[in-house]
Amino acid sequence: MTEEEFDAFYATAFPRLTGQLYAFTGDHGEAQDVVQEAFVRAWDRRRDFLAEGAPEAWIRTVAMRLAVSRWRRARRWLELVRRDPPPEHAPGPDPERAVLVEALRRIPEAQRMAVVLHHLCDLSVEEVASETGAPVGTVKARLSRGRAALARELGPGKGAKEDGRVR
């Protein structure tokens, strides 16, 4: 099956197969997902599809197996959750961390990325430059400006400690 033939097959078979899988799963989005995944798997086999004689049946079989597999995974997950329910009370975020995260949100994105990668992810200036695609000098400037912006955001009365360190 050529790419053009496969595209035509997809255009005619997808709605029909989605309807069939919708009847099977009871969830239209799930039906679309498993039919799409079956077509993705068929793409690599498209040259042999006409020789097999029943490409739509193959897609339907794969889609139904995917749906059953997803249903089984969901059922196992639900059984695990019921057996070990989440704690009734989960502690909230550390207040100091929440203040820092909020302050980080208020500084420019490039500065925030440099500060987070360098100070929270412990990357060197060179590693930050490599990861962001910025020159080392630019990273140093972003770090300097980012620290100054954070100092303003977390200044006295705004979440900084008395000695000026960021919490």
Side-chain angles (χ1 to χ4, degrees), residues 42-122:
W43 177 255
D44 293 331
R45 303 176 51 126
R46 69 186 179 281
R47 292 188 191 355
D48 305 323
F49 248 38
L50 287 179
E52 292 179 13
E56 192 166 324
W58 189 90
I59 298 282
R60 183 175 29 262
T61 300
V62 170
M64 291 184 93
R65 288 178 180 163
L66 288 166
V68 168
S69 178
R70 288 180 174 195
W71 179 78
R72 285 180 179 153
R73 272 194 306 265
R75 191 179 70 191
R76 277 194 303 269
W77 179 83
L78 187 58
E79 288 169 359
L80 287 172
V81 169
R82 285 183 178 155
R83 193 174 349 157
D84 298 325
E88 288 186 31
H89 175 71
D94 177 6
E96 291 177 348
R97 186 170 186 84
V99 168
L100 176 60
V101 169
E102 188 57 38
L104 282 165
R105 285 186 181 141
R106 290 191 294 264
I107 67 173
E109 183 180 344
Q111 293 172 14
R112 179 174 56 239
M113 183 176 291
V115 168
V116 167
L117 291 174
H118 184 66
H119 293 289
L120 300 179
C121 298
D122 292 325

Side-chain angles (χ1 to χ4, degrees), residues 99 148-167:
V99 168
L150 278 177
R152 285 189 301 275
E153 291 292 331
L154 299 170
K158 294 185 180 182
K161 291 184 177 181
E162 289 300 316
D163 64 3
R165 292 184 317 170
V166 176
R167 291 185 180 182

